[in-house]
Amino acid sequence: MAFRFNFAADDSDDDSTPNPQPAAAPQSLPEELQAPARHHTLQELMTRIPRNISYATISITPMVSIPRRQLYDVRMQLMDEDELNGDGPERDMVVGLGKEDIRTSLYEGGLKSWECSVDLARHLASLYGQAGPESKKVLELGCGTSLPSLFLFQATLSATQTSKPPFTHFTLADYNLEVLRLVTLPNILLSWAMLDHLSSSSGPWEPEGDLDVTESLTAAFLSDLSRRGIALDFVSGGWGVEMTELLKPASPYDLALGSETIYSPSTTPLFADVLLEALKGGEGSGLVAAKQIYFGVGGSVTDFVNLVRSKDSNVQIRVVMEEKEVGVGRSIVKISNTLARP
């Protein structure tokens, strides 16, 4: 059965309306039948970057703004590709942009910015403002539009103007490869273009507009990342053993992130396994932002905390942020092993 979150997405482009009836809990396919985990390089995804990106800017804090690709622009690209290519992943994504926010094991909602991703970006901004990050390798699971990683990417670009970068390696993972190429990478390019524009004294950055992705722009983007020592790579596919094995060469990560990733009790154990394995043997920590309970679906922060503790009795886990003055409470949970710094 199709699944839909029982709340409106926090996306100015989103024309969906809240579902008045609780949705049935999704029935996930067995792990071996889900999309296999695959690694993708920045150069690979850059070959399919759109030549024009329409964007709007979201305010994270009074000092932090993040440009992101407009959802209608993604729709237009997908419809154009659908007409050219017929059936295929593009058609699947067009289905995902219909009345359903999520279609289990087909499309997992990555084209929209969910409100807990904003919470996590704000939390990271507060941490960075207090002490400055010390992490070097970042993993975001279920990244979608990737607002938390985009904040850290911007912080790195700003820091490297005068010092060594606080973050040098970003791994962005989403169930759908099409999400990575349609929104994740375009959003990274937008953040780079915004800061490059501001640093060159070319006038104010327009909060809404279009970015022309010329050959010279993409060459400058890739050259600048190389000069700064910043690496980007991408992983598509379902959580599970395959993804864990794929991430091992880059483990342990210093920081692992996830937002709105524990809504389904059937996939949360797989998510927890990948997260814990990514941090295993290091001094890093994980931050998971979620609604305290997903009505009609079954996932909850309490169940996630208990699950993580059952998988590793030595893990340190605590709630570091709670938002209770809303219809459905939201939390951010920090997970670290015994080697982690306080």
Side-chain angles (χ1 to χ4, degrees), residues 102-262:
I102 284 178
R103 179 169 286 192
T104 303
S105 299
L106 176 64
Y107 164 67
E108 296 292 338
L111 294 172
K112 300 179 182 181
S113 296
W114 304 99
E115 56 192 323
C116 287
S117 66
V118 178
D119 288 343
L120 186 50
R122 287 176 179 154
H123 181 70
L124 291 167
S126 70
L127 295 178
Y128 181 80
Q130 292 174 4
E134 297 179 356
S135 302
K136 295 299 180 184
K137 291 191 291 187
V138 179
L139 168 67
E140 185 171 356
L141 296 169
C143 64
T145 59
S146 202
L147 296 182
S149 290
L150 288 173
F151 164 73
L152 298 176
F153 180 66
Q154 287 189 12
T156 294
L157 294 178
S158 298
T160 54
Q161 300 292 335
T162 56
S163 61
K164 292 182 179 180
F167 300 94
T168 56
H169 191 148
F170 293 83
T171 299
L172 301 164
D174 193 271
Y175 188 82
N176 299 101
L177 170 59
E178 300 306 304
V179 166
L180 295 173
R181 77 171 182 91
L182 290 166
V183 293
T184 307
L185 180 55
N187 285 353
I188 292 170
L189 182 59
L190 283 167
S191 276
W192 175 85
M194 180 183 73
L195 293 188
D196 183 67
H197 177 91
L198 295 174
S199 66
S200 64
S201 301
S202 301
W205 171 265
E206 295 296 330
E208 293 188 20
D210 293 276
L211 178 69
D212 290 326
V213 185
T214 62
E215 289 185 7
S216 60
L217 181 78
T218 58
F221 170 66
L222 294 172
S223 175
D224 194 40
L225 293 187
S226 177
R227 178 181 64 83
R228 295 171 186 265
I230 301 172
L232 298 170
D233 63 348
F234 305 85
V235 176
S236 65
W239 299 318
V241 175
E242 278 190 348
M243 183 171 287
T244 297
E245 291 298 320
L246 199 62
L247 294 172
K248 269 188 176 179
S251 296
Y253 284 88
D254 299 292
L255 183 61
L257 307 172
S259 57
E260 308 279 17
T261 50
I262 62 168

